[in-house]
Amino acid sequence: MNNEHKFTKEFQDSLNQLKEEVNSLTNQQELSSLKVKSLEADSEKTAASLTQFNSEIDTFMKVHKYSAQDVLYKIIHDESIPVKKIR
C-alpha cells in the first residue's frame, strides 16, 4: 500500500508539472500570436506609407517636369559625386 501511495503521488506530481508546462506553452503561443498580429499591422502601415511616398515622388517629378530618365542621367553624370576610378 505504501508503494502504491508513493507511485500515485509521483504520478500526480508529474501530471501537475505537465499541466503547468502546457499552460506555459499556451500562454507563450498567445503572446506570439499577438506579436504576429502587431507585426502584420506594422507591415501594412509601412506598405501604405511607401505607396504614399512613391505617389508623392511621382507627383513631384511631374510637377517639376522630371522624367525618370532625366533624373538617372543627372545622377550618373553628376560631377559633384566623387567617383572612385577602377583601374
Side-chain angles (χ1 to χ4, degrees):
M1 197 71 154
N2 195 13
N3 279 343
E4 184 178 315
H5 179 69
K6 179 182 172 186
F7 291 128
T8 302
K9 179 165 178 16
E10 287 176 1
F11 178 78
Q12 188 64 44
D13 290 345
S14 294
L15 186 60
N16 287 339
Q17 183 179 359
L18 183 61
K19 286 178 183 179
E20 288 175 14
E21 289 175 8
V22 168
N23 286 336
S24 174
L25 289 172
T26 300
N27 290 339
Q28 288 177 7
Q29 185 273 333
E30 289 171 358
L31 286 174
S32 295
S33 179
L34 291 173
K35 288 179 183 178
V36 166
K37 288 179 182 177
S38 174
L39 288 172
E40 287 172 343
D42 288 348
S43 175
E44 289 175 11
K45 288 178 189 175
T46 301
S49 294
L50 185 57
T51 300
Q52 181 182 355
F53 176 75
N54 286 338
S55 175
E56 289 173 4
I57 293 294
D58 287 343
T59 301
F60 175 85
M61 290 178 72
K62 288 175 187 172
V63 166
H64 295 284
K65 298 187 177 20
Y66 286 118
S67 70
Q69 295 87 355
D70 292 338
V71 173
L72 185 57
Y73 181 85
K74 288 177 183 177
I75 291 171
I76 291 172
H77 294 90
D78 187 348
E79 297 295 326
S80 66
I81 299 173
V83 178
K84 183 175 182 181
K85 304 256 182 198
I86 300 174
R87 297 180 199 196

